[in-house]
Amino acid sequence: MSIITQQDSDSLKEFIQIHNSFIIIGHKEPDGDCIASCLGLAAILDHFKKPYQLLSAGPFKRQEIKKYESKFTDKPEFMDTQERNNTGLFIADCSEISRLGDIDFDFKGLDIFVVDHHKTSGLPENAKGCINGEAPAAAFLVQLFYESLIGPLPNELAQIIFFGICTDTGFFRFLTSTPEAQEVFNAAARLTGYGADPRKTYNEINNGKPWNTRKLLGLLLSRAERHLSGRLIITYETQEDTHKLGSEGRDSDALYQLLLSTKDVEAAVFLRQDTPTTCTGGFRSLDKVDVSIVASKFGGGGHKNASGMSCEGRIETLIPSIIKEFARIM
């Protein structure tokens, strides 16, 4: 079965045709896949000569996406009732309005089209869209939509979409031997044919990190502790750490890669105390452990091997609870 069906393409085209203007937005704290997906949807609207607003609550902490920040705003243009009735809302790389972040705009009542690849997501009430948990990146879905509706991607867009796919696939190292993975590699081959440069993309994602992120990475590694007979590693970042070293972002991908490369480790957790009463967390695993099960227990979700959460609580009380939930599935 194709990742994108003709019915999916027809539904997207109809959504575009019946609205006069659009809002495009992804989740707060965007990553490369979120940004690439939004820009890909914008390119589709450009082809159909439809106006749009590109919104993001930010922050653009990741070094590799900072160059795209100027394309987005967190201050939507005012709309009267008639304009709202003729505006479509595209949500990329998530499906929940609650994950869009702090935007001074009431999204309720707008017609919604979702493009997402998180298996724990579902379409909002009365929304249309494509949520495919077998797709490793939302940017991959956007590429397939563009090719289906328009044709080959122009060079600049091909580079952006390739960047988004590489972000969420860990430069393809998260893929396994499946028909869906074969389709991703075929799509990546087409993107390089359109002009995407793998070496340039790898350097954009992995090089040029601020010095403080190296210092923070060392601190988080020194703080990591093993649990459940060494199969689970947990580390954390305090508000003081963020203030001293985390203002320029963090290299979470390198952190997870180092933790998961440890002998006998099957899953890794990174917690950050955002406020005195709230935390965010990232969950990663190797082949067998489904971290989305644990993330969902704390109001989060995502993929089998990569999920996240944001919830009330403090690190010292969350860690025992998280260990308990992992003990149920490991």
Side-chain angles (χ1 to χ4, degrees):
M1 182 177 178
S2 177
I3 294 288
I4 293 292
T5 67
Q6 187 61 50
Q7 183 178 353
D8 291 328
S9 294
D10 291 342
S11 179
L12 176 58
K13 186 174 182 179
E14 179 186 15
F15 188 80
I16 293 173
Q17 290 174 333
I18 65 176
H19 295 94
N20 294 338
S21 62
F22 297 86
I23 291 173
I24 305 172
I25 189 170
H27 56 77
K28 63 183 179 181
E29 296 194 27
D31 57 9
D33 185 34
C34 178
I35 294 302
S37 303
C38 289
L39 293 176
L41 290 170
I44 292 175
L45 293 178
D46 281 334
H47 173 82
F48 287 97
K49 295 180 170 52
K50 296 281 187 170
Y52 55 83
Q53 300 180 58
L54 272 168
L55 301 185
S56 177
F60 284 67
K61 289 185 176 181
R62 299 171 185 263
Q63 186 68 24
E64 64 270 23
I65 65 170
K66 285 186 179 296
K67 67 178 182 179
Y68 299 112
E69 185 172 6
S70 62
K71 296 180 180 293
F72 294 80
T73 181
D74 60 357
K75 296 177 176 59
E77 298 173 6
F78 172 79
M79 292 183 184
D80 60 29
T81 301
Q82 183 176 356
E83 289 171 327
R84 285 182 62 90
N85 290 339
N86 291 297
T87 296
L89 173 64
F90 277 112
I91 301 179
D93 201 30
C94 75
S95 62
E96 306 91 345
I97 290 179
S98 61
R99 291 193 61 210
L100 302 182
D102 188 15
I103 296 284
D104 187 17
F105 188 85
D106 183 10
F107 295 105
K108 294 179 181 179
L110 293 179
D111 290 337
I112 298 174
F113 195 101
V114 173
V115 179
D116 193 16
H117 68 122
H118 295 96
K119 77 170 194 173
T120 53
S121 299
L123 286 173
E125 187 176 359
N126 299 322
K128 298 179 180 180
C130 175
I131 299 179
N132 192 319
E134 300 302 321
F140 170 54
L141 296 175
V142 173
Q143 175 189 349
L144 297 182
F145 274 125
Y146 191 101
E147 291 172 324
S148 174
L149 295 174
I150 303 169
L153 280 65
N155 180 285
E156 183 178 359
L157 179 60
Q159 187 68 40
I160 292 170
I161 294 296
F162 188 77
F163 164 73
I165 293 174
C166 289
T167 297
D168 264 28
T169 63
F171 223 91
F172 306 105
R173 72 181 188 272
F174 300 147
L175 300 181
T176 58
S177 181
T178 64
E180 292 78 18
Q182 181 180 349
E183 194 165 344
V184 174
F185 278 112
N186 288 337
R190 295 196 301 275
L191 290 172
T192 58
Y194 302 148
D197 186 332
R199 177 184 291 182
K200 177 181 178 182
T201 301
Y202 182 88
N203 288 336
E204 285 179 353
I205 294 173
N206 294 285
N207 297 341
K209 306 292 185 183
W211 172 245
N212 277 356
T213 66
R214 309 297 91 185
K215 300 282 285 184
L216 181 59
L217 181 60
L219 178 63
L220 298 177
L221 288 172
S222 69
R223 190 176 283 155
E225 295 287 344
R226 294 186 294 176
H227 306 274
L228 303 179
S229 301
R231 292 174 294 163
L232 173 68
I233 294 183
I234 300 179
T235 190
Y236 60 89
E237 178 182 322
T238 67
Q239 286 185 277
E240 183 180 4
D241 299 332
T242 305
H243 178 71
K244 288 183 177 180
L245 300 171
S247 60
E248 293 184 280
R250 57 197 48 77
D251 194 355
S252 300
D253 186 62
L255 174 65
Y256 293 126
Q257 191 173 353
L258 288 167
L259 295 178
L260 289 173
S261 66
T262 306
K263 183 180 178 181
D264 298 326
V265 169
E266 298 175 20
V269 176
F270 166 55
L271 295 176
R272 184 175 74 238
Q273 192 78 52
D274 292 319
T275 73
T277 59
T278 61
C279 283
T280 56
F283 301 77
R284 299 292 187 273
S285 70
L286 300 178
D287 295 338
K288 296 181 180 180
V289 180
D290 189 345
V291 294
S292 69
I293 296 174
V294 178
S296 66
K297 299 291 185 179
F298 299 89
H303 306 287
K304 175 183 177 181
N305 300 122
S307 292
M309 63 85 169
S310 180
C311 69
E312 298 286 331
R314 295 192 57 80
I315 289 172
E316 56 267 27
T317 57
L318 282 172
I319 287 179
S321 298
I322 289 172
I323 295 172
K324 182 178 179 180
E325 293 301 329
F326 270 102
R328 299 178 190 273
I329 63 172
M330 296 178 70

